[in-house]
Amino acid sequence: MQWLRTALRLALLLGGQDLPHALGQGRAAQCSGVVCDLLDGGAGAGAGAADGLRLLQIKQRRVVVADKPFDKGATRDPRGGAGLLSSTVEKVEASNIMEKVNVVEATNDSDATCNDGTPGVYYWSPAPSDGEPRSWLVFLEGGGWCWDAASCAPRGGDSVSSAHHPSLQVNDRYGILGSLSPVRGFNRVYIRHCSSDAWMGDIGANATSAGVNWRGARILRATLRHLVDARGLAGGDFMLFGGASAGARGAMVHLDTLQPQGWVPAGVKLLGFLDSPYWLDTPAFQGLTKVEHRSQEQTKQAVLNMQNEAIVSGVGLCELDDVWKCAFGEYRLPMLKTPFMLFSSQYDWLRLIIAQAATVTPSACFPKPQCSYYDYADSGANATRQKLLVLPQVISGTSGLYSSTCYDHAMSIWKEFNLQRVLGVTMAEALSAALEATGSPHGTGMPVVVDSSCGQFNCGSGCMKKLDSTCGCSA
């Protein structure tokens, strides 16, 4: 493993490898605002069943299976009409299966609920017999958010409710939760996001003028309490705590406060896993002024309406002039004291689609004239790369950084985690090196993988998502 860590520290100067896999961007079953209008692809119907495994739902490339009886040795081809997963029929490995836990029932916390009042849910898989029973992965699901009554109104389905969450969940074997993950031997916990608050809310619908039940922070606290009381989480254990997209933003807010607030026992060694939490405080594209195009305004409105100043400020641990900045990546990340591994594309798909109100896909280009869209994306990518490289934790070597030029977002639970390469390195390999560095005597030498070799939109040789070749500034 030492060779890998050395290679990763030199990755800024090394060349990469090409993995020419084409991949479209999946669509959530429910979403809101401009993102809902512009996502391409979709969750397909008509997927078949095989050998006792009945496919219930495909959502955001996650395969969810029906309740028992369930044959863990069954085979299936879940692709159906969705085109979201491997087209080959694969064996369902037991290590890719997680079981549902009703957080309200498990903890007797009646407020640990989704937007619609249904119970919060987490999925659980204990460490295998040959694994690491004192190591934990706690992963917060993403899925966007809403900040007032109007932005919350279009959300629905699993985004706001656990009513249709099945008893069992099957993970992509290549993702961080899967059987090929470097943390496959850990106790694995996947907390579903049904509160639309990026894990930062703890207020009932009757207590806010927005009339929304935002309880993500409450669900998280109750789940962690259950891990201590019923699963054996204790001092001396190791926890990889994080998430993707909205889950990563929530993990960023909570990372330093888990132990001071008593949510995680003293003596647990923590490492953050932050996949795509980094937002820039920059103007939206060509003067777009609506809140749905301005992530900083969304954050301001969320803090105001959720009345969550104490949560996002970490009970005083984050002392910025404006409290909303404590929930915003550009301002909060440099303040974190707990070591973390940060994954952030310089051309983050979600950041750009929010700011530009447009997207480019494998079969469609930006609106004409395209140059203005690419110029905006390039400017944001340059600013992102420069700010990431001067994060004090990255400079000191106490935290790691992995940054591509790929036009994607929050890929850690999907196959890209183990297959897509930046300068020849996968996300899984970077995490492996971070885990090793965390266990080193001095806690330094974390991996830094930043692609600055091409400086153009989706230009990395390892980017698996291939866009329409006719698109471009000259088109």
Side-chain angles (χ1 to χ4, degrees):
M1 183 62 74
Q2 181 62 38
W3 70 268
L4 176 59
R5 189 171 69 181
T6 301
L8 290 168
R9 294 297 294 175
L10 295 173
L12 283 167
L13 303 176
L14 296 179
Q17 301 175 8
D18 183 28
L19 287 176
H21 295 273
L23 181 68
Q25 182 70 43
R27 177 185 178 121
Q30 295 289 338
C31 49
S32 64
V34 65
V35 176
C36 192
D37 297 331
L38 293 169
L39 288 170
D40 62 296
D51 300 332
L53 175 58
R54 181 171 67 86
L55 185 65
L56 180 67
Q57 179 184 9
I58 296 180
K59 178 184 178 239
Q60 290 183 323
R61 287 188 287 178
R62 174 166 64 269
V63 181
V64 183
V65 297
D67 291 351
K68 298 177 180 179
F70 178 73
D71 177 8
K72 292 184 178 180
T75 59
R76 89 281 190 244
D77 180 2
R79 185 179 182 113
L84 298 178
L85 297 175
S86 170
S87 61
T88 59
V89 177
E90 299 176 320
K91 194 175 187 64
V92 177
E93 301 167 86
S95 56
N96 289 326
I97 298 170
M98 304 181 80
E99 297 185 359
K100 183 176 74 171
V101 177
N102 180 314
V103 175
V104 171
E105 290 182 357
T107 65
N108 293 317
D109 188 338
S110 60
D111 287 328
T113 54
C114 305
N115 292 137
D116 71 344
T118 53
V121 161
Y122 76 83
Y123 283 84
W124 159 254
S125 179
S129 58
D130 60 346
E132 302 175 54
R134 301 202 65 185
S135 294
W136 304 75
L137 168 65
V138 175
F139 197 94
L140 308 182
E141 183 183 35
W145 69 347
C146 57
W147 51 91
D148 59 15
S151 61
C152 290
R155 293 176 67 84
D158 289 353
S159 297
V160 302
S161 176
S162 66
H164 299 293
H165 291 352
S167 296
L168 299 173
Q169 175 175 292
V170 178
N171 302 305
D172 189 321
R173 66 198 299 258
Y174 291 101
I176 191 172
L177 295 163
S179 59
L180 298 179
S181 168
V183 295
R184 59 188 174 273
F186 289 18
N187 299 295
R188 288 168 292 160
V189 178
Y190 183 61
I191 315 179
R192 295 296 301 273
H193 185 221
C194 61
S195 53
S196 306
D197 57 3
W199 305 97
M200 303 179 201
D202 190 6
I203 191 169
N206 294 331
T208 171
S209 60
V212 180
N213 186 57
W214 281 304
R215 295 288 193 179
R218 188 66 164 254
I219 295 170
L220 172 58
R221 183 179 69 182
T223 298
L224 292 172
R225 184 192 313 140
H226 191 242
L227 298 184
V228 173
D229 295 343
R231 306 295 190 193
L233 175 63
D237 289 1
F238 172 80
M239 179 185 288
L240 182 65
F241 174 79
S245 191
R249 289 188 283 124
M252 173 188 71
V253 164
H254 292 291
L255 185 58
D256 280 349
T257 69
L258 294 175
Q259 289 174 319
Q261 294 188 116
W263 295 13
V264 169
V268 172
K269 189 167 188 176
L270 287 165
L271 174 65
F273 180 93
L274 307 177
D275 180 4
S276 307
Y278 196 75
W279 283 1
L280 285 174
D281 187 3
T282 55
F285 178 71
Q286 291 190 342
L288 292 171
T289 58
K290 291 184 178 180
V291 175
E292 62 186 295
H293 305 304
R294 303 170 66 194
S295 55
Q296 60 273 63
E297 292 300 322
Q298 294 176 17
T299 308
K300 292 176 185 178
Q301 291 295 315
V303 171
L304 176 66
N305 290 316
M306 294 179 195
Q307 301 175 35
N308 61 355
E309 293 89 349
I311 293 173
V312 300
S313 66
V315 195
L317 290 177
C318 174
E319 297 179 342
L320 292 171
D321 53 350
D322 294 310
V323 69
W324 69 268
K325 292 181 178 179
C326 294
F328 201 83
E330 180 179 349
Y331 302 113
R332 185 60 178 267
L333 273 170
M335 303 182 66
L336 293 182
K337 305 299 183 185
T338 306
F340 58 83
M341 186 68 210
L342 172 63
F343 298 84
S344 181
S345 172
Q346 296 157 46
Y347 290 90
D348 185 279
W349 171 82
L350 182 60
R351 178 179 64 81
L352 288 173
I353 201 173
I354 289 172
Q356 292 182 307
T359 187
V360 57
T361 75
S363 58
C365 303
F366 283 128
K368 293 184 178 181
Q370 295 185 52
C371 285
S372 56
Y373 290 92
Y374 284 100
D375 289 346
Y376 181 90
D378 290 342
S379 176
N382 291 334
T384 297
R385 182 174 61 253
Q386 292 169 11
K387 288 180 179 291
L388 292 176
L389 286 171
V390 297
L391 285 170
Q393 306 94 326
V394 172
I395 292 174
S396 68
T398 57
S399 292
L401 172 62
Y402 183 98
S403 181
S404 76
T405 57
C406 301
Y407 185 55
D408 58 26
H409 172 81
M411 308 310 294
S412 52
I413 64 172
W414 313 125
K415 65 181 181 181
E416 289 84 350
F417 177 73
N418 249 301
L419 298 178
Q420 182 165 278
R421 295 184 177 274
V422 174
L423 302 179
V425 180
T426 67
M427 294 175 71
E429 290 169 343
L431 175 58
S432 293
L435 292 170
E436 183 193 12
T438 302
S440 68
H442 304 293
T444 58
M446 295 283 275
V448 176
V449 184
V450 178
D451 190 353
S452 58
S453 62
C454 57
Q456 295 179 4
F457 192 90
N458 203 56
C459 63
S461 61
C463 296
M464 292 174 63
K465 182 177 182 180
K466 302 305 178 184
L467 303 177
D468 190 331
S469 61
T470 64
C471 300
C473 185
S474 59

